[in-house]
Short mmCIF file of all heavy atoms in Angstrom, two decimals:
data_model
loop_
_atom_site.label_atom_id
_atom_site.label_comp_id
_atom_site.label_asym_id
_atom_site.label_seq_id
_atom_site.Cartn_x
_atom_site.Cartn_y
_atom_site.Cartn_z
N PRO A 1 3.01 -0.35 62.87
CA PRO A 1 4.09 0.06 62.03
C PRO A 1 3.71 0.76 60.78
O PRO A 1 4.39 1.77 60.30
CB PRO A 1 4.72 -1.46 61.64
CG PRO A 1 4.24 -2.33 62.76
CD PRO A 1 2.88 -1.82 63.18
N TRP A 2 2.60 0.38 60.10
CA TRP A 2 2.16 1.09 58.82
C TRP A 2 1.70 2.51 59.21
O TRP A 2 2.03 3.44 58.40
CB TRP A 2 1.05 0.34 58.18
CG TRP A 2 -0.01 -0.19 58.97
CD1 TRP A 2 -1.23 0.54 59.24
CD2 TRP A 2 -0.19 -1.36 59.72
NE1 TRP A 2 -1.98 -0.11 60.07
CE2 TRP A 2 -1.43 -1.35 60.36
CE3 TRP A 2 0.70 -2.62 59.94
CZ2 TRP A 2 -1.78 -2.43 61.15
CZ3 TRP A 2 0.17 -3.53 60.61
CH2 TRP A 2 -1.14 -3.54 61.29
N ASN A 3 1.22 2.69 60.30
CA ASN A 3 0.90 4.22 60.74
C ASN A 3 2.13 4.91 61.00
O ASN A 3 2.06 6.10 60.66
CB ASN A 3 -0.06 4.09 61.99
CG ASN A 3 -1.50 3.66 61.67
OD1 ASN A 3 -1.95 3.71 60.50
ND2 ASN A 3 -2.13 3.15 62.56
N LYS A 4 3.11 4.25 61.67
CA LYS A 4 4.35 4.92 61.94
C LYS A 4 4.96 5.37 60.50
O LYS A 4 5.41 6.57 60.43
CB LYS A 4 5.23 4.00 62.63
CG LYS A 4 5.01 3.86 64.14
CD LYS A 4 6.16 3.01 64.72
CE LYS A 4 5.91 2.95 66.18
NZ LYS A 4 6.16 4.16 66.96
N MET A 5 5.01 4.52 59.49
CA MET A 5 5.60 4.85 58.28
C MET A 5 4.79 5.96 57.52
O MET A 5 5.29 6.89 57.04
CB MET A 5 5.66 3.58 57.49
CG MET A 5 6.68 2.52 57.78
SD MET A 5 8.39 3.19 57.49
CE MET A 5 8.29 3.20 55.67
N SER A 6 3.56 5.80 57.54
CA SER A 6 2.64 6.67 56.75
C SER A 6 2.65 8.10 57.35
O SER A 6 2.90 9.02 56.58
CB SER A 6 1.24 6.18 56.73
OG SER A 6 0.32 7.10 56.13
N LEU A 7 2.56 8.27 58.64
CA LEU A 7 2.60 9.52 59.30
C LEU A 7 3.99 10.21 59.22
O LEU A 7 4.11 11.39 58.94
CB LEU A 7 2.27 9.38 60.79
CG LEU A 7 0.80 9.11 61.01
CD1 LEU A 7 0.45 8.63 62.46
CD2 LEU A 7 -0.16 10.31 60.66
N THR A 8 4.97 9.36 59.40
CA THR A 8 6.34 10.00 59.23
C THR A 8 6.68 10.37 57.79
O THR A 8 7.21 11.49 57.58
CB THR A 8 7.44 8.95 59.69
OG1 THR A 8 7.09 8.44 61.01
CG2 THR A 8 8.77 9.56 59.65
N GLU A 9 6.24 9.64 56.82
CA GLU A 9 6.51 10.03 55.48
C GLU A 9 5.74 11.22 55.10
O GLU A 9 6.27 12.07 54.39
CB GLU A 9 6.13 8.83 54.51
CG GLU A 9 7.11 7.70 54.51
CD GLU A 9 6.61 6.54 53.74
OE1 GLU A 9 5.42 6.38 53.39
OE2 GLU A 9 7.50 5.61 53.41
N ASP A 10 4.47 11.37 55.58
CA ASP A 10 3.71 12.57 55.25
C ASP A 10 4.41 13.73 55.84
O ASP A 10 4.40 14.78 55.26
CB ASP A 10 2.33 12.44 55.88
CG ASP A 10 1.38 11.56 55.08
OD1 ASP A 10 1.74 11.08 54.01
OD2 ASP A 10 0.25 11.21 55.63
N GLY A 11 4.91 13.69 57.05
CA GLY A 11 5.55 14.79 57.79
C GLY A 11 6.77 15.24 57.08
O GLY A 11 7.13 16.43 56.90
N LEU A 12 7.59 14.15 56.61
CA LEU A 12 8.80 14.41 56.00
C LEU A 12 8.62 15.02 54.67
O LEU A 12 9.29 16.08 54.21
CB LEU A 12 9.75 13.16 55.72
CG LEU A 12 10.25 12.53 57.07
CD1 LEU A 12 10.85 11.14 56.64
CD2 LEU A 12 11.07 13.37 57.86
N ALA A 13 7.50 14.74 53.94
CA ALA A 13 7.20 15.29 52.65
C ALA A 13 6.84 16.76 52.92
O ALA A 13 7.27 17.64 52.03
CB ALA A 13 6.06 14.51 51.97
N ALA A 14 6.03 16.96 53.89
CA ALA A 14 5.59 18.40 54.16
C ALA A 14 6.75 19.20 54.44
O ALA A 14 6.99 20.41 54.02
CB ALA A 14 4.60 18.43 55.27
N MET A 15 7.79 18.83 55.17
CA MET A 15 8.97 19.54 55.65
C MET A 15 9.80 19.75 54.38
O MET A 15 10.37 20.89 54.19
CB MET A 15 9.70 18.77 56.69
CG MET A 15 8.94 18.66 58.03
SD MET A 15 9.80 17.71 59.32
CE MET A 15 10.76 19.05 59.94
N GLY A 16 9.95 18.80 53.47
CA GLY A 16 10.56 19.08 52.16
C GLY A 16 9.98 20.15 51.39
O GLY A 16 10.63 20.88 50.72
N THR A 17 8.69 20.05 51.33
CA THR A 17 7.95 21.12 50.46
C THR A 17 8.08 22.55 51.11
O THR A 17 8.24 23.45 50.30
CB THR A 17 6.39 20.78 50.40
OG1 THR A 17 6.24 19.49 49.77
CG2 THR A 17 5.71 21.72 49.61
N ALA A 18 8.26 22.49 52.38
CA ALA A 18 8.38 23.87 53.07
C ALA A 18 9.63 24.61 52.45
O ALA A 18 9.74 25.83 52.46
CB ALA A 18 8.47 23.69 54.51
N GLN A 19 10.78 23.74 52.19
CA GLN A 19 12.01 24.46 51.72
C GLN A 19 11.68 25.07 50.33
O GLN A 19 12.32 26.03 50.06
CB GLN A 19 13.01 23.34 51.50
CG GLN A 19 13.22 22.34 52.69
CD GLN A 19 13.41 23.16 53.97
OE1 GLN A 19 14.30 23.96 54.01
NE2 GLN A 19 12.78 22.71 55.04
N GLN A 20 10.74 24.58 49.58
CA GLN A 20 10.49 25.11 48.28
C GLN A 20 9.74 26.39 48.33
O GLN A 20 9.66 27.16 47.31
CB GLN A 20 9.75 24.08 47.37
CG GLN A 20 10.48 22.77 47.24
CD GLN A 20 9.67 21.86 46.48
OE1 GLN A 20 8.61 22.09 45.91
NE2 GLN A 20 9.92 20.54 46.78
N TRP A 21 9.06 26.57 49.44
CA TRP A 21 8.25 27.82 49.71
C TRP A 21 9.04 28.99 50.25
O TRP A 21 8.52 30.08 50.33
CB TRP A 21 7.17 27.46 50.60
CG TRP A 21 6.07 26.53 50.12
CD1 TRP A 21 6.15 26.03 48.85
CD2 TRP A 21 4.94 26.06 50.82
NE1 TRP A 21 4.88 25.25 48.61
CE2 TRP A 21 4.19 25.25 49.88
CE3 TRP A 21 4.36 26.30 52.02
CZ2 TRP A 21 3.02 24.62 50.30
CZ3 TRP A 21 3.27 25.67 52.40
CH2 TRP A 21 2.54 24.82 51.53
N LEU A 22 10.25 28.75 50.58
CA LEU A 22 11.14 29.83 51.22
C LEU A 22 11.46 30.86 50.09
O LEU A 22 11.77 30.53 48.96
CB LEU A 22 12.39 29.32 51.60
CG LEU A 22 12.32 28.48 52.99
CD1 LEU A 22 13.60 27.93 53.46
CD2 LEU A 22 11.71 29.48 54.08
N GLY A 23 11.37 32.12 50.45
CA GLY A 23 11.81 33.25 49.56
C GLY A 23 12.68 34.26 50.29
O GLY A 23 12.77 34.10 51.54
N PRO A 24 13.19 35.24 49.61
CA PRO A 24 13.99 36.19 50.33
C PRO A 24 13.43 36.89 51.53
O PRO A 24 14.00 37.33 52.52
CB PRO A 24 14.28 37.18 49.19
CG PRO A 24 14.08 36.46 47.87
CD PRO A 24 12.93 35.51 48.23
N GLU A 25 12.08 37.00 51.44
CA GLU A 25 11.33 37.73 52.67
C GLU A 25 11.48 36.97 53.85
O GLU A 25 11.34 37.49 54.95
CB GLU A 25 9.87 37.96 52.22
CG GLU A 25 9.01 36.72 52.11
CD GLU A 25 9.07 36.00 50.74
OE1 GLU A 25 9.88 36.41 49.94
OE2 GLU A 25 8.23 35.19 50.51
N HIS A 26 11.66 35.68 53.82
CA HIS A 26 11.85 34.85 54.99
C HIS A 26 13.10 34.94 55.77
O HIS A 26 13.27 34.51 56.90
CB HIS A 26 11.46 33.36 54.67
CG HIS A 26 10.10 33.12 54.09
ND1 HIS A 26 9.95 32.77 52.87
CD2 HIS A 26 8.90 33.46 54.62
CE1 HIS A 26 8.61 32.70 52.50
NE2 HIS A 26 7.99 33.12 53.65
N ASP A 27 14.05 35.60 55.00
CA ASP A 27 15.35 35.94 55.74
C ASP A 27 15.07 37.13 56.61
O ASP A 27 15.89 37.24 57.64
CB ASP A 27 16.45 36.42 54.63
CG ASP A 27 16.89 35.20 53.84
OD1 ASP A 27 16.61 34.05 54.30
OD2 ASP A 27 17.45 35.52 52.69
#
C-alpha cells in the first residue's frame, strides 16, 4: 500500500508540474 501511494503521488505531482511547463509553442 505504501508503494502504491508513493508511486502514484510522484506520478500525479509530475503530471501537475507538466502543466506549468506548457507554453504557446506547444499549441
